[in-house]
């Protein structure tokens, strides 16, 4: 063979799929740009492979995590067409990028975003994480009996999502490598329909995006739950839940 491209053109289809399963979506497209066989193989991969690529794109799965054998079927258990989801996620972020920046030098909790585009990495992370939260604060918590005392704590699911949303809070954070291991557990909590509704909502009116990021920064700046307790977290978390639910009566103060 005179080149890598020539070699790829002569590989059997099954081996090409094995190669693709090791790559991210971006790397697959880049390789496909040089090889017609790769292009043809990508068109034939199951929809569930696109699910894995969507989760990688949203940083819910490690970039170097290969597609598991559990993703070999045509559709996921939720019935979602992940080929379309991949296209729609890119479209939503492209629309978000056209929105004004949520940063503001006049607002204490938005100064940190001055000069940042509306689709910057932390904004994307917050919106993905927020879309995964349950619809009520009560569903985020549970009563735990420990040392003959009873106290209210975040559920394991809520901790996983909050740990992922607040990556710099190291003392409150499960190691990301463990969280992202074969999509367990954080990747399995992602629901595209909920994410799409939230993105459409904040794209429609920039004050909604501003409030999301201001409430996020309030939580981040007040410290870990273990240090400050529920009281300091309750109001901004409640506001975030209301925003995710698109509830009436939200006070847009940011």
């Amino acid at each position: 063979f005179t080149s890598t491209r020539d070699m790829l053109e002569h590989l059997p289809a099954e081996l090409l799929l094995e190669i693709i399963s090791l790559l991210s979506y971006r790397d697959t497209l880049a390789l496909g740009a040089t090889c017609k066989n790769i292009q043809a193989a990508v068109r034939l991969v199951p929809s569930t492979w696109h699910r894995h690529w969507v989760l990688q794109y949203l940083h819910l799965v490690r970039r170097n995590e290969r597609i598991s054998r559990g993703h070999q079927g045509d559709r996921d258990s939720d019935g979602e067409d992940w080929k379309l989801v991949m296209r729609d996620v890119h479209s939503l972020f492209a629309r978000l990028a056209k929105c004004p920046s949520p940063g503001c030098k006049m607002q204490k909790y938005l100064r940190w975003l001055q000069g940042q585009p509306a689709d910057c990495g932390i904004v994307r992370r917050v919106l993905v994480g927020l879309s995964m939260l349950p619809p009520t604060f009560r569903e985020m918590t549970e009563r735990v009996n420990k040392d003959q005392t009873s106290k209210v704590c975040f559920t394991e699911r809520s901790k996983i999502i909050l740990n992922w949303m607040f990556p710099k809070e190291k003392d409150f954070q499960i190691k990301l490598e463990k969280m992202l291991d074969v999509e367990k557990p954080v990747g399995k909590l992602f629901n595209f329909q909920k994410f799409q509704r939230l993105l459409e909502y904040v794209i429609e009116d920039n004050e909604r995006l501003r409030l999301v990021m201001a409430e996020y920064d309030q939580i981040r700046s007040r410290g870990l739950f273990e240090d400050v307790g529920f009281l300091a977290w309750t109001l901004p978390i409640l506001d975030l839940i209301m925003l995710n639910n698109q509830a009436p009566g939200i006070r847009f103060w940011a």
Side-chain angles (χ1 to χ4, degrees):
F1 299 111
T2 58
S3 67
T4 302
R5 181 179 64 182
D6 290 338
M7 181 184 70
L8 290 171
E9 294 289 2
H10 289 83
L11 290 178
E14 285 192 13
L15 186 52
L16 288 175
L17 289 176
E18 285 296 319
I19 293 172
I20 291 171
S21 73
L22 297 170
L23 303 176
S24 69
Y25 186 64
R26 178 179 297 178
D27 291 340
T28 300
L29 292 182
L31 188 60
T34 66
C35 176
K36 292 182 180 179
N37 276 7
I38 292 288
Q39 293 177 23
V42 170
R43 287 194 291 268
L44 296 174
V45 299
S47 172
T48 47
W49 286 34
H50 288 265
R51 176 182 184 273
H52 182 86
W53 286 329
V54 168
L55 297 183
Q56 275 187 333
Y57 181 65
L58 298 176
H59 301 288
L60 293 166
V61 177
R62 287 199 299 266
R63 179 178 171 82
N64 63 351
E65 186 69 55
R66 69 167 293 164
I67 295 172
S68 68
R69 290 298 177 183
H71 287 156
Q72 301 294 328
D74 288 332
R75 282 189 174 266
D76 209 349
S77 58
D78 57 12
E80 199 75 72
D81 185 339
W82 289 90
K83 292 180 183 179
L84 294 178
V85 169
M86 174 64 81
R87 182 198 66 189
D88 290 345
V89 166
H90 279 86
S91 175
L92 285 166
F93 281 143
R95 291 170 56 197
L96 181 65
K98 296 177 181 178
C99 296
S101 169
C104 176
K105 66 179 180 180
M106 304 300 293
Q107 171 50 249
K108 174 182 177 181
Y109 294 111
L110 292 175
R111 289 178 191 144
W112 64 294
L113 288 172
Q114 270 189 272
Q116 295 296 319
D119 71 328
C120 66
I122 190 60
V123 173
R124 290 187 179 202
R125 177 178 287 266
V126 172
L127 294 174
V128 171
L130 178 55
S131 75
M132 294 190 290
L133 290 179
T136 66
F137 187 72
R138 183 171 184 176
E139 292 174 74
M140 290 185 65
T141 61
E142 62 185 356
R143 188 167 293 279
V144 176
N145 296 316
K146 189 175 182 180
D147 299 328
Q148 297 182 336
T149 60
S150 178
K151 63 178 183 179
V152 176
C153 300
F154 285 119
T155 64
E156 189 63 25
R157 175 191 174 105
S158 297
K159 288 180 182 178
I160 289 164
I161 297 169
L162 293 171
N163 286 333
W164 188 85
M165 286 180 69
F166 296 87
K168 293 184 179 179
E169 301 289 7
K170 295 180 181 178
D171 296 332
F172 185 57
Q173 177 177 355
I174 301 170
K175 290 183 179 179
L176 285 177
E177 290 79 7
K178 181 178 179 182
M179 290 172 61
L180 299 182
D181 187 24
V182 196
E183 301 175 36
K184 294 180 180 178
V186 67
K188 288 188 174 294
L189 304 180
F190 178 73
N191 180 287
F192 173 69
Q193 299 301 325
K194 291 176 62 179
F195 172 72
Q196 183 180 38
R197 285 194 294 270
L198 177 61
L199 263 289
E200 296 279 3
Y201 179 68
V202 299
I203 288 171
E204 185 179 45
D205 192 331
N206 191 246
E207 70 175 354
R208 297 166 181 169
L209 179 61
R210 286 168 56 93
L211 186 57
V212 167
M213 299 312 298
E215 298 290 7
Y216 174 84
D217 193 53
Q218 279 201 77
I219 295 171
R220 189 181 64 160
S221 58
R222 289 180 183 183
L224 306 177
F225 164 73
E226 282 84 351
D227 297 330
V228 300
F230 268 121
L231 187 60
W233 276 50
T234 300
L235 289 179
I237 282 284
L238 286 174
D239 282 346
L240 285 176
I241 290 172
M242 289 181 69
L243 285 160
N244 193 30
N245 294 339
Q246 302 180 28
I250 297 173
R251 183 173 67 89
F252 292 96
W253 54 267

